[in-house]
């Protein structure tokens, strides 16, 4: 499940994820001698990533320290899988294993959910019309308007809610991505954009 607190700081949920993933990290640390890189990568993606992914559309607006602590867990596993040094370039390791940063992976998953909601693709009934487009509310009928209505949120807690944060996240995407209404091409294009974002962010950090 997901542990919720009154300030949406998600500290208890972070502790829960760490408790769930540490045993799996120890297991992966013991396996490189016996298993190939491909198999180890599949073990990580099938046993640890689901823990990081669960409910992330809700809790991803967490603190930077929490974001960094999760990234360190993925970095540790990547070094084990690739038998890399501690000083190895994290972006290079992600490219070799076909991974995004966990931060951008959460953006990837949440934007997929938003795409499903606004295009009514395998969308739960209770989520339909949950994220209205600006044009539908203001009656402008703009044919190519792909931005979402951003609800008022005057507090930090309000800005962490799914309805606000998901809409803002969506509006920040390039229009060329927001305009794709077919789900599979949307996923491919979005993944490419987020990969480039990871590379650019890494370059800025290194420089």
């Amino acid at each position: 499940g997901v542990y919720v607190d009154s300030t949406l700081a998600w500290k208890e949920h972070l502790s829960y994820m760490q408790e769930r993933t540490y045993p799996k990290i120890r297991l992966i640390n013991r396996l490189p001698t016996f298993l190939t890189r491909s198999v180890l990568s599949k073990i990580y993606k099938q046993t640890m990533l689901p823990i990081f992914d669960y409910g992330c559309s809700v809790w991803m607006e967490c603190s930077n320290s929490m974001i960094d602590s999760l990234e360190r867990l993925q970095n540790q596993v990547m070094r084990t899988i690739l038998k890399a040094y501690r000083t190895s370039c994290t972006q290079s390791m992600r490219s070799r294993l076909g991974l995004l940063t966990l931060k951008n992976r959460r953006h990837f998953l949440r934007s997929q959910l938003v795409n499903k909601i606004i295009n009514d693709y395998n969308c739960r009934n209770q989520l339909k019309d949950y994220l209205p487009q600006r044009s539908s509310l203001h009656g402008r009928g703009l044919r190519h308007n792909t931005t979402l209505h951003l609800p008022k949120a005057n507090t930090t807690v309000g800005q962490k809610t799914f309805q606000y944060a998901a809409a803002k996240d969506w509006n920040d995407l390039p229009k060329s991505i927001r305009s794709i209404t077919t789900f599979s091409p949307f996923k491919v294009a979005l993944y490419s954009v987020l990969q480039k974002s990871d590379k650019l962010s890494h370059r800025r950090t290194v420089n």
Side-chain angles (χ1 to χ4, degrees), residues 21-76:
T21 54
Y22 283 152
K24 300 180 190 304
I25 292 175
R26 288 195 291 269
L27 174 64
I28 291 174
N29 285 341
R30 294 196 294 266
L31 295 176
T33 306
F34 311 101
L35 300 177
T36 65
R37 177 189 304 173
S38 175
V39 173
L40 289 170
S41 179
K42 287 180 180 177
I43 291 174
Y44 171 65
K45 292 175 181 178
Q46 292 177 9
T47 64
M48 286 185 63
L49 282 185
I51 297 173
F52 294 140
D53 292 346
Y54 186 80
C56 68
S57 293
V58 175
W59 61 260
M60 63 183 283
E61 300 300 323
C62 54
S63 66
N64 288 331
S65 60
M66 180 172 171
I67 290 172
D68 291 342
S69 66
L70 293 175
E71 292 295 346
R72 283 193 291 270
L73 292 178
Q74 175 166 273
N75 293 345
Q76 181 180 346

Side-chain angles (χ1 to χ4, degrees), residues 151-159 164:
K152 289 184 179 180
N154 298 323
T155 64
T156 301
V157 173
Q159 292 171 1
Y164 179 91

